[in-house]
Amino acid sequence: MTTRRLGDQGLTVSAIGLGCMGMSQDYGPADDDESLAVLRRALDLGVTLLDTSMSYGAGHNERLVGRAIEGRRAEVTVATKFGIFRERRGDPARLAARPEDIRRYCEASLSRLGTDYIDLYYLHRVDPEVPIEDSVGAMAELVAEGKVRHLGLSETSGEELTRAVGVHPVSAVQYEWSLWWREIEDDVVPLARKLGVGLVAFSPLGRGFLTGTLDLDTLTQDDDRLPDQRFHGAHLARNAAQVERLKELAEARGVTAGQLALAWLLAQGDDVVAIPGTRSARRLMENVAAAEFTLSESDVREIESVIPRSAWSGDRHSFAVPRTRRAAG
């Protein structure tokens, strides 16, 4: 597995990480034993970045990751988050990032993960009732104490990112970013690069849609994709046509549509890391292999010509993010 550097503070991770959320919530029922097998297989394949959160399954996901990394802690960059809170598994999410609570959140995450430090600690969402400087200031105290090694932010505005970096260096910012959702390219991507902050893309496969294999009829009623406009009606029809073009481009290169989508994302810069989620060992191996498939500049130009950003349709559904609507035009 190739590696990439996130930020200017020395954090190096695998180009393809593993998003673990779906093992605990949002994408239908999951089996813990199968999830553990996928997590351990990811480490065997050279995936070093595991991405979790205190909110995923109300702690269930962190405990799952903790079981998977037991005895292998030195191989893993553990990224977890605070700021979205659930009292119990299945409860609705709420924002909670008061400085006086952050130490307690961190210590609870450390306990669930079975470790004494977190490699990358994210503010999952900005709490509108708490200045981001206050949240990051409390996070910085955890760095000084050795409980946390690097700081990250998730789905912040550019203005919030600038203010945060003024308090403490930030190694990574995490956003939804893929061929079918490119809105961050207008502002936060160039700003993050100016500030020396690495970019982590979640949902890099369009929540499974860009693989060309997602059967929407199999989604359960609690699947978080159902409220998303991109999966419905005329938006779905338009997006499905773009995936067919993606599959044709992929077939011509001897890869899958998902692999081409990941390769396109990694080609956006050597400061970009993707964290596709999966509960399938087969899909995991496919995703990991995408890191070895390098696109030329002409490949990227062709993809963006055949499937331009303007070809995708529908706004996104996501919790407490600064941007859900596509740019006009």
Side-chain angles (χ1 to χ4, degrees):
M1 171 67 73
T2 57
T3 60
R4 294 188 167 193
R5 184 173 176 175
L6 289 175
D8 296 332
Q9 291 74 53
L11 178 60
T12 300
V13 300
S14 53
I16 299 286
L18 178 59
C20 303
M21 181 190 74
M23 298 174 179
S24 299
Q25 67 176 51
D26 286 356
Y27 290 173
D31 180 272
D32 282 358
D33 289 338
E34 291 179 357
S35 295
L36 284 168
V38 169
L39 284 161
R40 290 164 179 156
R41 181 61 175 150
L43 301 185
D44 294 340
L45 292 171
V47 173
T48 64
L49 178 61
L50 300 181
D51 184 272
T52 182
S53 170
M54 63 175 269
S55 73
Y56 298 162
H60 171 267
N61 200 250
E62 287 182 326
R63 286 189 289 271
L64 197 66
V65 170
R67 291 170 62 189
I69 67 174
E70 186 175 0
R72 305 182 69 172
R73 181 65 181 91
E75 302 174 43
V76 186
T77 297
V78 174
T80 193
K81 315 177 195 73
F82 75 93
I84 297 178
F85 182 78
R86 286 180 172 87
E87 188 71 39
R88 290 174 297 276
R89 196 172 181 179
D91 282 358
R94 61 181 176 86
L95 297 176
R98 294 183 302 176
E100 60 267 29
D101 294 330
I102 292 174
R103 182 182 305 279
R104 173 170 57 85
Y105 294 153
C106 179
E107 290 174 351
S109 289
L110 289 169
S111 177
R112 288 189 291 265
L113 289 162
T115 184
D116 57 3
Y117 67 94
I118 294 165
D119 297 285
L120 178 57
Y121 199 39
Y122 285 100
L123 173 59
H124 204 165
R125 295 289 189 271
V126 176
D127 186 334
E129 297 183 1
V130 180
I132 195 168
E133 293 88 346
D134 293 352
S135 296
V136 175
M139 295 166 73
E141 293 177 6
L142 299 172
V143 175
E145 295 169 12
K147 291 182 171 69
V148 169
R149 294 191 171 176
H150 300 273
L151 299 188
L153 304 170
S154 178
E155 289 284 355
T156 62
S157 69
E159 185 259 345
E160 290 164 339
L161 174 59
T162 300
R163 288 162 52 198
V165 170
V167 175
H168 189 278
V170 174
S171 293
V173 286
Q174 183 177 128
Y175 298 94
E176 180 174 353
W177 189 11
S178 69
L179 271 170
W180 85 334
W181 189 261
R182 299 178 54 181
E183 305 314 296
I184 67 166
E185 296 174 23
D186 297 332
D187 47 13
V188 294
V189 169
L191 177 61
R193 287 173 171 157
K194 179 181 178 181
L195 296 173
V197 180
L199 294 152
V200 176
F202 72 83
S203 294
L205 293 173
R207 307 186 185 191
F209 192 75
L210 298 182
T211 65
T213 63
L214 181 63
D215 183 354
L216 296 179
D217 291 334
T218 66
L219 303 188
T220 58
Q221 289 303 308
D222 60 345
D223 195 298
D224 194 53
R225 287 168 287 198
L226 289 178
D228 196 302
Q229 191 180 80
R230 295 170 292 184
F231 290 95
H232 295 280
H235 299 300
L236 174 61
R238 187 173 179 183
N239 293 335
Q242 313 321 313
V243 171
E244 288 304 310
R245 295 186 177 95
L246 178 64
K247 289 165 69 174
E248 291 171 2
L249 290 169
E251 184 177 357
R253 291 164 171 79
V255 296
T256 67
Q259 287 175 323
L260 188 59
L262 290 173
W264 172 85
L265 189 58
L266 295 181
Q268 301 309 300
D270 59 10
D271 56 352
V272 178
V273 168
I275 52 169
T278 185
R279 301 187 301 234
S280 161
R282 181 180 63 82
R283 187 72 67 193
L284 170 71
M285 295 174 68
E286 178 182 321
N287 293 344
V288 167
E292 306 306 320
F293 179 62
T294 303
L295 294 177
S296 67
E297 291 183 7
S298 62
D299 287 326
V300 173
R301 285 195 298 270
E302 181 183 5
I303 293 167
E304 295 181 354
S305 174
V306 174
I307 316 171
R309 175 175 165 180
S310 59
W312 302 96
S313 183
D315 297 331
R316 69 168 174 158
H317 167 78
S318 194
F319 176 71
V321 297
R323 179 184 298 157
T324 58
R325 298 183 65 83
R326 292 188 186 273

